[in-house]
Amino acid sequence: MGETTLTGRVVSAHGRHYRVAIQPSGETRHCYPRGKRTGIAVGDNVQILPEGQQEGLITEILPRRNLFYRSDAQRSKLFAANIDQLLLVLAAEPVFSDDLLGRALVAAHSADISVVILLNKADLPGTAAARARLAVPESLGTPVLSLSALDYAQVHAQLDALLKNQCTLLLGQSGMGKSTLLNALVPEAQAATQAHSEALGTGRHTTTQTRLHPLPGGGDIIDSPGFQAFGLQHLTPHEIAHGFPEFAPAIEQCRFYNCTHQHEPECGVLAAMASGQISANRHALYMRILAENQAAKRY
Ligand SMILES: Nc1nc2c(ncn2[C@@H]2O[C@H](COP(=O)(O)OP(=O)(O)O)[C@@H](O)[C@H]2O)c(=O)[nH]1
Ligand SMILES: [Mg+2]
Ligand SMILES: [Zn+2]
């Protein structure tokens, strides 16, 4: 059985349709999972059984380094596997959501994936005010870059070294400029996106699929569709707390080893919040995520 299987990397996902780049030739095949199997992500290394010259059946997902995903009450949405870093794209307009930003950061911190925040549309007058809203993540050590994706020279000057030889996931709400940024970095990407939407007959240029693009200078960038929700139902209470790095020193001061940092006496996190070291907004986000997970478990 072994002699006919091929190994490859998933380079695009759209529903249950996957494109797999076969190693080492690099030829791509249109693949689909066996049976009802889901849970395959862009960036996954997989084994396939070839069918004809252009198709294949995905039979196995090889072990992952990491998986970045969100999970709402109904289902999980896999963004990508085996990534080196997350580039979170925000802008002054449309206004970004603090709640969604906070959740994406929790998901990344809890999976130990490093994050760089990119404040795009630096040419817009609201940029300084938007940057002020990033004070908390910045103070926690998340780098914040600011540029205009319309200015290709600026994009290359600020991002080429960061992205070189890394696998980077581009993530952000729609309208923040992910596609514009991708086009600046990968000149062929625009043509590829358009060909795809024509093939689907949608005629839309909104990104509906997740797709990995090799960068001309080495490395890969993964473009993902925008999102309006970011559930974290897959995290345990401990992982949620781990997703807030500023809680770590305070947690050591909690009296109870199983403190949930919500109402317990002599809680280090509540004390740090009372003295202003932990932001009340961040603690409120922590409480929301925790409450959602507890509500989900009751079903
Ligand atoms: N002023 C300004 N507009 C930008 C910039 N980057 C993107 N845009 C515009 O923002 C809109 C949304 O960009 P798009 O790349 O489609 O966002 P996506 O939904 O995140 O992929 C488009 O009209 C872009 O032309 C920028 O740096 N400055
Ligand atoms: Mg887009
Ligand atoms: Zn506590």
Side-chain angles (χ1 to χ4, degrees):
M1 52 172 251
E3 66 248 25
T4 51
T5 56
L6 300 173
T7 302
R9 185 182 192 201
V10 178
V11 294
S12 80
H14 188 268
R16 287 169 57 79
H17 299 266
Y18 301 91
R19 202 149 260 291
V20 176
I22 306 301
Q23 276 134 20
S25 70
E27 48 142 352
T28 62
R29 281 177 179 262
H30 176 204
C31 296
Y32 46 93
R34 176 140 63 191
K36 287 211 164 102
R37 168 152 215 175
T38 52
I40 300 162
V42 170
D44 264 330
N45 295 306
V46 293
Q47 282 194 335
I48 68 151
L49 272 176
E51 293 189 345
Q53 291 306 304
Q54 288 167 4
E55 303 195 342
L57 188 65
I58 298 173
T59 55
E60 198 174 334
I61 304 173
L62 300 178
R64 292 170 170 141
R65 203 147 49 89
N66 55 42
L67 176 67
F68 186 77
Y69 69 114
R70 65 181 167 90
S71 49
D72 306 325
Q74 309 301 326
R75 61 190 201 109
S76 298
K77 170 80 183 75
L78 309 187
F79 286 113
N82 301 317
I83 60 172
D84 293 306
Q85 58 187 355
L86 183 66
L87 190 60
L88 256 178
V89 185
L90 308 171
E93 285 169 35
V95 174
F96 66 86
S97 152
D98 283 322
D99 178 86
L100 292 176
L101 165 64
R103 287 165 184 270
L105 290 172
V106 170
H109 291 313
S110 66
D112 288 319
I113 295 169
S114 64
V115 186
V116 173
I117 292 175
L118 179 65
L119 182 56
N120 185 33
K121 312 196 189 186
D123 52 300
L124 296 183
T127 300
R131 174 131 197 174
R133 292 175 53 206
L134 300 173
V136 168
E138 204 168 6
S139 73
L140 295 171
T142 303
V144 178
L145 303 176
S146 187
L147 56 77
S148 168
L150 300 175
D151 181 344
Y152 285 20
Q154 211 182 19
V155 169
H156 287 289
Q158 292 211 45
L159 296 183
D160 283 357
L162 177 75
L163 302 179
K164 192 179 172 65
N165 297 335
Q166 304 289 305
C167 182
T168 304
L169 173 64
L170 264 187
L171 189 77
Q173 293 168 253
S174 75
M176 298 299 170
K178 295 181 299 299
S179 297
T180 309
L181 191 66
L182 181 70
N183 293 332
L185 294 166
V186 185
E188 300 82 34
Q190 185 154 33
T193 311
Q194 275 165 11
H196 179 82
S197 51
E198 276 156 30
L200 286 176
T202 57
R204 289 176 298 147
H205 293 297
T206 350
T207 311
T208 54
Q209 63 164 352
T210 303
R211 187 177 180 124
L212 181 146
H213 303 266
L215 289 163
D220 305 291
I221 191 144
I222 300 173
D223 188 24
S224 63
F227 51 85
Q228 277 95 45
F230 206 115
L232 293 164
Q233 309 269 341
H234 56 289
L235 299 182
T236 64
H238 178 79
E239 287 167 330
I240 296 169
H242 184 64
F244 290 80
E246 74 268 44
F247 288 11
I251 285 172
E252 288 177 21
Q253 309 303 316
C254 296
R255 174 169 168 197
F256 301 109
Y257 79 97
N258 58 352
C259 184
T260 65
H261 328 301
Q262 297 179 97
H263 45 64
E264 290 87 346
E266 294 177 55
C267 166
V269 173
L270 294 175
M273 188 171 68
S275 69
Q277 287 163 281
I278 286 177
S279 123
N281 282 337
R282 293 272 294 171
H283 187 260
L285 173 63
Y286 166 78
M287 297 273 279
R288 281 202 298 283
I289 297 171
L290 210 57
E292 285 168 14
N293 282 25
Q294 278 158 1
K297 284 198 192 73
R298 264 180 240 127
Y299 294 105

